[in-house]
Amino acid sequence: MTFAPRTWVVGETVSAAIMNQEIRDQFNSMFAAWTSYTPAWTASTTAPALGNGTIAGRYMKIGRTVICHINLVTGSTTTYGAGNYSFSLPVQAANAGASIVGHAHLLGADRWAGEIVISPNATTTSPFFPITATNTRIDFMTPTRPETLAAGAQLRLTFVYEAAS
């Protein structure tokens, strides 16, 4: 649902317009196209610059549930900055009292499976990957972890979380 349902009053005359708004429109919103947004890509020390790479985000919000996907493809003029990477969320996360975990995939020289973490009240998410192929402890993604990034690398983040409102 895209908004809170109305409170009905005893004896109220229900019109077609009210029924359409309260039932049809709410139901249709769950099957609508996703909303596009451009995530901000940042790093904790020096900001990366997208250059001729691409970054695209899209999400669907049903009530306070947000389903989101971010896709980053680096280009030949992309610079990778320094420090731990993070990406902006389309809407602020709820203060749910626990972190949310989602999926992260890096397709570079190798293929890496990782996860993302969204903290309570967060406006950003961070990807985590194994430190190296032999050290599978996960840590923040950086320009050199889990591998040194190069043109054509693709990062895909997919996750579901509760919005603050």
Side-chain angles (χ1 to χ4, degrees), residues 35-111:
T35 302
S36 295
Y37 84 108
T38 303
W41 175 28
T42 58
S44 59
T45 306
T46 305
L50 191 57
N52 64 350
T54 61
I55 189 167
R58 59 191 182 102
Y59 69 98
M60 166 126 344
K61 186 170 183 269
I62 302 171
R64 288 179 53 177
T65 301
V66 179
I67 306 162
C68 186
H69 179 76
I70 297 171
N71 192 56
L72 167 70
V73 180
T74 62
S76 61
T77 62
T78 299
T79 59
Y80 300 97
N84 303 334
Y85 285 156
S86 63
F87 297 86
S88 63
L89 298 173
V91 295
Q92 182 176 355
N95 186 9
S99 295
I100 304 296
V101 177
H103 301 284
H105 298 97
L106 175 64
L107 295 90
D110 289 313
R111 294 179 182 262

Side-chain angles (χ1 to χ4, degrees), residues 1 4-5 10 18 61 64 79 82 95 149 154:
M1 294 187 170
V10 173
I18 291 173
K61 186 170 183 269
R64 288 179 53 177
T79 59
N95 186 9
L149 294 175
Q154 185 173 22

Side-chain angles (χ1 to χ4, degrees), residues 64 89 92-102 116-122 124-125 160-164:
R64 288 179 53 177
L89 298 173
Q92 182 176 355
N95 186 9
S99 295
I100 304 296
V101 177
I116 62 97
V117 175
I118 303 171
S119 299
N121 291 319
T124 62
T125 184
V160 177
Y161 67 102
E162 180 184 356

Side-chain angles (χ1 to χ4, degrees), residues 123-135:
T123 58
T124 62
T125 184
S126 295
F128 289 78
F129 285 98
I131 293 174
T132 65
T134 57
N135 182 350

